[in-house]
Amino acid sequence: MHGHCVFMMHVHLVFVTKYRRHVFDADAIQRLRLHFASVCKDFEAELVEMDGEDDHVHLLVNYPPKVAVSNLVNSLKGVSSRLLRKERPDIANRYWKNMLWSPSYFASSCGGAPIDVIRRYIEQQQTPH
């Protein structure tokens, strides 16, 4: 049996629309939430929270150590842009030259594990006899 990893690594991400264009309404935010959750699942990550305004979105993602945040971000932005364009043609013409997102993004690690999570992990370790 190979090593088991307990992880609680959260990253706070902010994506801004290209040139801060006002693109999103409530329906678009809801669609983005579903697409982001689906991409996270593919990375064995979890979309903990997501919200946004008309020109930006915030995501809180719990992700495994094997995932590079830059890869996750590229996938989140690429998939969401493509699917939203397909589902909401009315929004697609607010894209700037077919680009939904600004190429930059904000990422911040946040939140240590609550002490009970750490304690549970330690207690689960086998004591050698």
Side-chain angles (χ1 to χ4, degrees), residues 42-57:
D42 293 341
F43 280 85
E44 294 169 44
E46 175 201 4
L47 182 63
V48 180
E49 282 180 43
M50 180 269 173
D51 215 337
E53 292 175 32
D54 57 9
D55 65 352
H56 71 276
V57 293

Side-chain angles (χ1 to χ4, degrees), residues 13-77:
L13 299 169
V14 181
F15 305 152
V16 176
T17 58
K18 186 81 175 169
Y19 299 126
R20 296 295 299 262
R21 289 188 160 215
H22 301 285
V23 177
F24 307 132
D25 54 21
D27 171 74
I29 296 284
Q30 183 53 35
R31 289 170 188 271
L32 287 171
R33 187 177 288 119
L34 295 171
H35 300 322
F36 290 149
S38 162
V39 169
C40 284
K41 208 177 208 157
D42 293 341
F43 280 85
E44 294 169 44
E46 175 201 4
L47 182 63
V48 180
E49 282 180 43
M50 180 269 173
D51 215 337
E53 292 175 32
D54 57 9
D55 65 352
H56 71 276
V57 293
H58 290 263
L59 295 78
L60 181 63
V61 179
N62 181 18
Y63 66 99
K66 67 181 177 186
V67 167
V69 172
S70 57
N71 293 346
L72 178 62
V73 165
N74 287 341
S75 200
L76 287 165
K77 288 166 86 174

Side-chain angles (χ1 to χ4, degrees), residues 4 6 117-127:
H4 181 68
V6 174
V117 171
I118 299 167
R119 190 177 297 120
R120 250 195 331 269
Y121 165 75
I122 294 168
E123 286 167 356
Q124 284 168 1
Q125 303 311 303
Q126 294 297 325
T127 313

Side-chain angles (χ1 to χ4, degrees), residues 88-129:
R88 292 281 308 270
D90 60 308
I91 282 182
N93 51 33
R94 286 184 241 166
Y95 281 29
W96 179 259
K97 297 183 176 174
N98 275 340
M99 279 187 77
L100 171 58
W101 303 114
S102 157
S104 59
Y105 62 92
F106 170 85
S108 166
S109 60
C110 52
I115 200 75
D116 62 299
V117 171
I118 299 167
R119 190 177 297 120
R120 250 195 331 269
Y121 165 75
I122 294 168
E123 286 167 356
Q124 284 168 1
Q125 303 311 303
Q126 294 297 325
T127 313
H129 294 45

